[in-house]
Amino acid sequence: MKSKITKPKEWYNLGIIAYCNGPTFTEKDYYRNLTLVGRKVGIRVFVFSPRQVDFDSRTTIGYEFKNGVWQTHTFPLPPLIYDRCFMGPAYRNYKPFIEKLQNDPKIMFMGRGLSGKWEVYKMLECLPEITKWLPDTKPLAISEMMERLKSNETVVIKPMSGTHGYGVVRFAKGGNGYEATGRARRTNVPFRRSFKSLAQVRQFVTSFTAGLNFIIQPYLSLSTRNGVPFDVRVLVQKNGSGEWQTTGKAVRLGNKESITSNLHGGGHAAPLSSFLAANFSSSQTAMIETEINALVSVLPPALEKHHGSLFELGIDIGVDQQGRVWLIEVNSRPGRAVFRMIDDSTARLRAVTQPISYANYLMKERVGGY
């Protein structure tokens, strides 16, 4: 008869690292739901800042949703961490502490976060099964950009490490000169600017991009025929068996004044199938859905093989007016609001339960089962 193995309680702790200012942090609703789902399977979920860890005592100040409120406690460092520290200006202040946790042999991360847009693109272009969906992308060189505009090409620039559409700008020839349409770097407010000459464009771009690295891409007509920008967000996650599974798909639509469809810029959402049927022919719709499914099927395992451990991805897909499918962006710390906006209860539930199911799977694998 086998003897029963008793595991210490801390084996069942799941720590979420986030940008915390004391008990103040974003995504509280999501973390609360993770806590409630985790509690049902015996996993204790808490949120903490990597900057609040005491590596000598291997403890951290953390925040746990209990009895209807967020409570502050001191926790032992968890054996499993869910990284929700988003890329952006704040990340550099957290990176050394995150890396120290990642290098701790007693700690496992549910997935290693992807880097900025350029680093991800360089990985993707090495994957032959992905390249047909990739738009041409390069680091921004202002002199080359001026040559492309001089040749009447329309281009888009994006911050390498930006999120939510901040700092994305389209430049095109128009009127008696050139026009820029985009979103401000710091406020995400939409703007339009006109320039009489390339010299004025150069001056603006030099100022606009100062202190931040950008990429440049050809402008793709990723909008409806009425000029409404849109993209397709697909959330894929690993399930309780450690296998990739599609959680949900939705269309994000922006305002006509914007060139991005990001929800943080005031956009809204729609179910994928009905949106495609309303904007494309039946044959185009079938082809687009087939292409999206093919891309979503091959991307996660291929990217993980090149990058290392991943467990959930937000895949942003563009569809141009000819029905061609493009891979726009891959995010390893995806949001979930889009499924609430289209009232997709199945995707909303799975988006919260899958992380706990996968955490449960990893814990069982690591400690030999419950």
Side-chain angles (χ1 to χ4, degrees):
M1 180 177 177
K2 290 183 179 179
S3 61
K4 186 176 180 180
I5 301 174
T6 302
K7 291 90 179 176
K9 287 185 179 180
E10 56 265 27
W11 276 118
Y12 311 120
N13 284 353
L14 171 62
I16 303 172
I17 54 173
Y19 300 144
C20 301
N21 182 14
T24 302
F25 43 89
T26 59
E27 297 196 298
K28 277 191 172 180
D29 287 346
Y30 177 46
Y31 302 154
R32 181 193 67 227
N33 291 334
L34 287 175
T35 301
L36 299 176
V37 174
R39 197 166 288 154
K40 292 179 180 178
V41 296
I43 296 175
R44 187 182 189 188
V45 178
F46 65 93
V47 183
F48 69 103
S49 166
R51 293 172 61 90
Q52 292 180 303
V53 173
D54 184 331
F55 287 96
D56 292 329
S57 65
R58 298 189 64 79
T59 60
T60 183
I61 301 297
Y63 311 97
E64 180 182 23
F65 188 77
K66 197 171 183 180
N67 299 325
V69 295
W70 287 95
Q71 301 181 7
T72 305
H73 299 287
T74 299
F75 293 88
L77 283 181
L80 191 61
I81 287 179
Y82 182 8
D83 182 0
R84 295 295 289 177
C85 290
F86 297 92
M87 294 296 292
Y91 191 78
R92 66 172 66 95
N93 298 321
Y94 286 75
K95 185 178 179 181
F97 304 97
I98 295 172
E99 289 179 344
K100 192 165 184 177
L101 290 168
Q102 288 175 332
N103 293 327
D104 191 312
K106 295 182 179 180
I107 293 175
M108 177 188 296
F109 273 57
M110 290 176 67
R112 297 294 180 104
L114 293 169
S115 301
K117 292 182 177 69
W118 177 238
E119 287 76 12
V120 174
Y121 180 85
K122 287 190 291 185
M123 282 190 283
L124 293 172
E125 69 174 351
C126 294
L127 306 174
E129 58 267 68
I130 301 298
T131 52
K132 71 173 183 175
W133 290 298
L134 291 178
D136 180 46
T137 303
K138 296 178 180 178
L140 174 63
I142 296 178
S143 57
E144 180 186 341
M145 175 181 171
M146 297 303 106
E147 290 299 319
R148 292 168 72 164
L149 290 176
K150 193 183 295 184
S151 301
N152 294 332
E153 183 180 346
T154 301
V155 298
V156 173
I157 65 171
K158 304 175 181 179
M160 284 188 180
S161 59
T163 57
H164 306 322
Y166 284 72
V168 178
V169 188
R170 177 186 67 205
F171 293 86
K173 193 166 181 61
N176 295 320
Y178 298 88
E179 295 179 350
T181 307
R183 292 188 172 275
R185 272 180 52 173
R186 294 178 177 82
T187 63
N188 208 20
V189 174
F191 71 85
R192 291 178 183 271
R193 289 283 301 271
S194 297
F195 308 95
K196 293 182 178 179
S197 67
L198 279 175
Q200 290 181 343
V201 176
R202 178 189 287 272
Q203 185 178 21
F204 172 80
V205 174
T206 301
S207 174
F208 186 83
T209 61
L212 199 62
N213 293 320
F214 277 68
I215 57 173
I216 184 169
Q217 296 174 325
Y219 174 69
L220 304 173
S221 300
L222 307 179
S223 61
T224 66
R225 299 194 185 282
N226 294 327
V228 177
F230 75 92
D231 68 6
V232 180
R233 161 54 66 90
V234 182
L235 176 61
V236 293
Q237 298 170 297
K238 285 184 178 175
N239 58 24
S241 300
E243 298 171 344
W244 286 105
Q245 188 174 359
T246 298
T247 293
K249 303 172 187 171
V251 176
R252 303 183 300 184
L253 299 103
N255 299 318
K256 281 189 176 182
E257 295 76 25
S258 173
I259 65 164
T260 65
S261 53
N262 200 283
L263 300 181
H264 287 77
H268 61 288
L272 175 62
S273 295
S274 58
F275 173 84
L276 292 177
N279 288 276
F280 296 91
S281 68
S282 57
S283 60
Q284 281 182 313
T285 296
M287 180 193 70
I288 291 166
E289 292 193 307
T290 298
E291 282 285 293
I292 289 174
N293 290 337
L295 171 55
V296 169
S297 175
V298 300
L299 175 58
L303 183 57
E304 185 173 42
K305 196 175 294 183
H306 195 83
H307 165 78
S309 174
L310 295 164
F311 100 92
E312 65 178 354
L313 295 170
I315 305 173
D316 295 339
I317 298 170
V319 183
D320 66 26
Q321 293 181 0
Q322 288 70 48
R324 182 170 176 183
V325 170
W326 298 93
L327 176 57
I328 303 303
E329 193 169 340
V330 185
N331 186 345
S332 58
R333 300 174 183 88
R336 291 149 172 78
V338 67
F339 303 117
R340 184 177 66 251
M341 295 176 77
I342 65 170
D343 199 24
D344 187 338
S345 57
T346 300
R348 285 171 58 192
L349 178 62
R350 194 181 293 160
V352 176
T353 57
Q354 292 286 52
I356 297 299
S357 296
Y358 184 57
N360 196 24
Y361 163 79
L362 291 177
M363 288 177 178
K364 288 192 291 186
E365 289 286 303
R366 182 159 185 175
V367 300
Y370 286 95

